[in-house]
Amino acid sequence: MNDVKNVVIVGSGPAGHTAAIYAARANLKPFMFEGYMLGGSAGGQLTTTTDVENYPGFPEGVEGPELMQLFRKQSERFGTEMVQEDVVEIDLNKSPFSIKSENREIKAHSVIISTGATAKRMGIPNEEKMWNNGMSACAVCDGALPMFRNQPLMVIGGGDTAVEEASYLTKFGSMVYMVHRRDALRASKIMQERAFKNPKLEIIWDSVLDDAIGEEYVTGAKITNIKTKETRELEVAGIFYAIGHTPNTGIFNGQLDLDNSGYIRIKPGTQETSIEGVFAAGDVHDHKYRQAITAAGTGCAAALEAERWLAEKGLVE
Ligand code: NDP
């Protein structure tokens, strides 16, 4: 069956490209749907961030989009076939699997899903203008930038991520406000204790962010207490959303086993999904670490597992 690919990779973030590099170097001739618009943009969340300073190998840091271009070049160098198209339909119920974009249908013996997740945004009026100019959805990625050093900062949310990111930001900022819409945190008890004990972290209860203030960069935030209706402005140099992520799994719904939040469930210690021959890598299954380097690591693991599985089944074309 010459028209069946050994492995199709869906998604082109660090997980997808690392899977492609490994699969290509194993002579599997991988085919990648890079995506176009569905996950925000081809290349994933790194393309919407600025300096990446925590990816090993770049001691001076690297721009997110540049890092993605380097990943892409490396996939290309080893012969990955890539198309910048969104997958609009996928059939994982029979083998070979079928993966369709608007322009083509590709059949595959195995599939690696690395469609990532999208950080939720609030859609406040100045959000687009201030994005990457003081607004971010990843404190771990952006918090250490010089613009945030010794400045008051703000985190929105009351879950584990909000506490983790707010705690992390207290290392750099002069103080951190955590603005939460209720009077109790969603975060686990241990994380709550960490938040309450941190002298540089102030929780602002029952409050919502109305807008970011600033011309070129964020200089403040307008918030309202939803119980008292009192509105006030706080001086801050950064506003970090930590209001959750949405995994990009819409097209797999009803076919793959997903958890309650829509993340792909994998078998512990593997990258295997509920369907044999279908593997997941990166943020599409990982809501815990969500780092470029952890996504890359699971992309590597998924490719190695796919290679082994294809060999075991005698399916390599
Ligand atoms: P969560 O969904 O747990 O929390 C999101 C928070 O944002 C909630 O407090 C929610 O408020 C608030 N929120 C959501 N939408 C809005 C909005 N439109 N406006 C204002 N506030 C909003 O997401 P997390 O990213 O924190 O966590 C995801 C998962 O990952 C969880 O299972 C968590 O336990 C896990 N995790 C574990 C970590 C660890 O173990 N170290 C670290 C990070 C995450 P409300 O509470 O009112 O709903």
Side-chain angles (χ1 to χ4, degrees):
M1 278 200 285
N2 277 336
D3 55 343
V4 180
K5 305 287 181 194
N6 296 310
V7 55
V8 162
I9 298 165
V10 187
S12 60
H17 277 301
T18 307
I21 292 161
Y22 274 78
R25 286 172 54 81
N27 286 336
L28 294 177
K29 304 185 200 78
F31 184 97
M32 178 190 277
F33 283 97
E34 290 182 86
Y36 179 56
M37 282 306 289
L38 287 184
S41 61
Q45 294 184 77
L46 272 187
T47 58
T48 60
T49 189
T50 48
D51 294 337
V52 178
E53 293 183 328
N54 53 10
Y55 199 89
F58 299 89
E60 307 303 325
V62 58
E63 298 268 313
E66 189 192 339
L67 183 57
M68 284 320 309
Q69 279 310 316
L70 292 171
F71 287 159
R72 192 176 188 282
K73 260 194 194 161
Q74 203 167 344
S75 297
E76 207 165 32
R77 175 176 162 214
F78 294 110
T80 306
E81 211 179 327
M82 290 180 257
V83 291
Q84 221 167 72
E85 294 166 14
D86 283 324
V87 169
V88 292
E89 205 184 315
I90 189 158
D91 185 355
L92 302 174
N93 292 315
K94 58 178 190 304
S95 181
F97 307 121
S98 151
I99 307 103
K100 282 188 197 161
S101 69
E102 295 287 357
N103 304 334
R104 69 194 83 218
E105 175 181 9
I106 301 284
K107 301 260 185 200
H109 293 307
S110 71
V111 176
I112 295 175
I113 300 171
S114 49
T115 46
T118 309
K120 287 187 196 158
R121 293 200 194 179
M122 296 181 65
I124 54 168
N126 273 331
E127 192 171 280
E128 278 308 314
K129 185 174 137 194
M130 292 298 170
W131 203 253
N132 286 332
N133 295 322
M135 287 196 78
S136 157
C138 183
V140 178
C141 322
D142 301 326
L145 295 178
M147 66 193 289
F148 300 126
R149 300 261 168 163
N150 299 314
Q151 301 289 329
L153 305 171
M154 183 176 281
V155 171
I156 314 295
D160 279 330
T161 302
V163 174
E164 197 165 78
E165 307 229 321
S167 306
Y168 178 76
L169 288 174
T170 58
K171 292 185 198 162
F172 311 105
S174 55
M175 74 154 318
V176 178
Y177 302 107
M178 202 170 117
V179 175
H180 183 39
R181 63 183 176 184
R182 290 190 294 130
D183 60 1
L185 296 180
R186 177 177 295 279
S188 51
K189 285 281 173 282
I190 188 163
M191 297 295 272
Q192 296 199 18
E193 273 169 32
R194 197 178 297 175
F196 297 146
K197 273 194 202 145
N198 191 328
K200 285 175 80 181
L201 204 168
E202 180 185 330
I203 303 175
I204 302 181
W205 303 102
D206 300 312
S207 296
V208 292
L209 176 71
D210 299 323
D211 209 359
I213 302 167
E215 286 305 320
E216 219 176 322
Y217 297 100
V218 170
T219 55
K222 196 169 147 197
I223 60 168
T224 295
N225 182 307
I226 51 177
K227 284 193 176 151
T228 63
K229 310 285 180 227
E230 181 207 351
T231 293
R232 59 182 167 138
E233 292 183 4
L234 289 171
E235 260 181 48
V236 289
I239 301 173
F240 295 85
Y241 285 159
I243 58 171
H245 283 72
T246 310
N248 302 321
T249 50
I251 50 169
F252 311 111
N253 214 345
Q255 301 193 63
L256 285 177
D257 196 7
L258 308 179
D259 72 12
N260 292 339
S261 309
Y263 288 89
I264 295 177
R265 272 192 222 276
I266 52 170
K267 295 189 186 139
T270 77
Q271 301 306 127
E272 294 169 20
T273 69
S274 54
I275 296 180
E276 224 191 299
V278 180
F279 304 85
D283 288 12
V284 75
H285 77 74
D286 168 29
H287 54 69
K288 188 167 175 191
Y289 300 111
R290 296 195 310 257
Q291 300 301 302
I293 190 69
T294 48
T298 54
C300 159
L304 293 175
E305 288 182 20
E307 182 189 356
R308 248 168 247 161
W309 183 82
L310 289 163
E312 266 169 38
K313 301 281 168 188
L315 283 172
V316 180
E317 299 283 339

